[in-house]
């Protein structure tokens, strides 16, 4: 986690220096865009972190462990594969929610399936964007062709965890 943060800071600094060396005010324009995005995203991040913290305390750990814990096996992967598709919002909400699930006992294969389903099946995006833009037929074909992806991702995560265990 720390190495990813350091990498991002170095990347931002390098791109800032590169923009500064180019003709024009690219570095100022970059700061302006970044500031606007910061003002837009920062309140969401704070609320998502607070929501995840409260959710982590309110979720019944024994119930999460039973249905989505490591011991739930492939059944838990299938449950997570369905549940992930119905989590509304972007990564600012879904990843803190996944952290809350993890802290209350969800297993890594189940979390992998949950996040894969959120990425592939996000019903709020399907309803608001995909069906209106590309139609029912394409959406049905894409969803059907993608059904195997979250369970497969969860199963592979479980295999990788087993292979990496000492």
């Amino acid at each position: 986690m720390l190495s990813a943060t350091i990498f991002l800071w170095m990347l931002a600094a390098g791109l800032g220096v590169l923009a500064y060396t180019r003709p024009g005010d690219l570095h100022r324009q970059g700061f302006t865009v970044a500031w606007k995005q910061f003002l837009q995203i920062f309140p969401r991040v704070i609320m998502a972190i607070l929501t995840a913290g409260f959710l982590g305390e309110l979720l019944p750990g024994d119930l999460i462990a039973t249905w989505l814990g490591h011991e739930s096996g492939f059944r838990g992967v299938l449950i997570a594969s369905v549940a992930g598709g119905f989590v509304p919002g972007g990564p600012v909400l879904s990843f803190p929610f996944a952290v809350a699930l993890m802290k209350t006992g969800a297993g890594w294969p189940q979390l992998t399936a949950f996040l894969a389903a959120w990425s592939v099946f996000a019903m709020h995006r399907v309803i608001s964007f995909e069906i209106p833009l590309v139609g029912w037929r394409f959406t049905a074909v894409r969803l059907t062709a993608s059904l195997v992806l979250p369970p497969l991702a969860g199963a592979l995560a479980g295999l990788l965890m087993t292979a990496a265990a000492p």
Side-chain angles (χ1 to χ4, degrees):
M1 184 95 151
L2 180 61
S3 58
T5 303
I6 292 170
F7 172 76
L8 287 174
W9 276 100
M10 290 174 52
L11 181 63
L15 291 172
V17 168
L18 184 64
Y20 183 76
T21 61
R22 301 289 170 119
D25 281 343
L26 292 179
H27 62 289
R28 286 194 177 117
Q29 292 171 5
F31 275 117
T32 301
V33 169
W35 182 250
K36 286 179 182 177
Q37 288 179 346
F38 174 80
L39 292 176
Q40 208 173 27
I41 292 172
F42 185 70
R44 294 177 188 173
V45 171
I46 294 299
M47 293 312 299
I49 291 170
L50 285 170
T51 301
F54 292 135
L55 189 60
E57 295 302 315
L58 293 171
L59 285 174
D62 54 342
L63 187 66
I64 298 298
T66 300
W67 290 98
L68 297 176
H70 185 69
E71 300 299 320
S72 68
F74 194 67
R75 177 190 56 134
V77 166
L78 291 175
I79 292 168
S81 295
V82 171
F86 291 97
V87 173
V92 172
L93 178 64
S94 62
F95 283 96
F97 186 74
V99 169
L101 288 174
M102 183 173 66
K103 288 184 178 181
T104 55
W108 284 15
Q110 293 75 9
L111 286 174
T112 301
F114 175 84
L115 288 173
W118 167 78
S119 297
V120 174
F121 298 129
M123 286 299 129
H124 67 285
R125 290 191 306 253
V126 168
I127 292 167
S128 59
F129 293 108
E130 190 169 1
I131 293 170
L133 293 175
V134 295
W136 282 99
R137 185 162 186 225
F138 175 82
T139 301
V141 168
R142 185 194 70 80
L143 291 174
T144 303
S146 302
L147 279 175
V148 71
L149 297 176
L152 181 61
L156 287 174
L159 289 174
L160 290 172
M161 287 183 59
T162 303

